[in-house]
Amino acid sequence: QVQLVESGGGLVQAGASLRLSCAASGRAFSSYTMAWFRQAPGKEREFVALIRWSGGNTISADSVKGRFTISRDNAKNTVYLQMNDLKPEDTAVYYCAASRQVLVPSLGAYDYWGQGTQVTVSS
């Protein structure tokens, strides 16, 4: 089993930055892909960014390219999402997820999910 715990969400104004953290525990992650998804009220959960735990390869959604950066700290078993220049449309619950598949941005590929952290961006 894998346990994922997100933190770092909050209420900020447009243009501000936040860093989300996802602490992973339970088993070795070297073969996993870690990702961030988000879900706004009334909308489907959507892919934001992913990173391969081993090697650090990343993929980001077009909507966040140039503003959001995903990274990981192997020593701390933690994945981060640095979010800059936040916009009101970034308002959502952000979820951390883990997959045994390689670099797949699809929702259904993820086996483990955190509880989510709320990000609210005011205009």
Side-chain angles (χ1 to χ4, degrees):
Q1 280 289 359
V2 172
Q3 291 81 43
L4 304 173
V5 179
E6 303 98 333
S7 62
L11 171 63
V12 297
Q13 291 188 330
S17 297
L18 278 176
R19 188 178 78 160
L20 305 183
S21 299
C22 172
S25 62
R27 64 190 302 166
F29 309 105
S30 59
S31 62
Y32 277 68
T33 293
M34 305 296 294
W36 289 95
F37 288 80
R38 66 185 181 185
Q39 187 165 19
K43 295 189 177 181
E44 294 185 351
R45 195 170 297 189
E46 65 175 6
F47 168 74
V48 176
L50 64 79
I51 187 166
R52 181 74 172 156
W53 202 279
S54 174
N57 309 74
T58 63
I59 298 175
S60 298
D62 288 344
S63 59
V64 305
K65 281 181 180 176
R67 300 189 299 123
F68 291 11
T69 302
I70 189 170
S71 63
R72 88 271 192 240
D73 184 328
N74 290 354
K76 295 182 178 180
N77 280 350
T78 300
V79 175
Y80 303 100
L81 185 68
Q82 178 66 43
M83 305 185 295
N84 298 329
D85 189 24
L86 282 160
K87 305 176 186 299
E89 52 264 41
D90 295 318
T91 295
V93 177
Y94 283 71
Y95 297 91
C96 179
S99 172
R100 286 166 286 191
Q101 299 187 46
V102 179
L103 298 176
V104 177
S106 302
L107 196 71
Y110 288 80
D111 310 293
Y112 304 100
W113 292 85
Q115 81 288 351
T117 185
Q118 177 71 47
V119 172
T120 303
V121 184
S122 63
S123 57

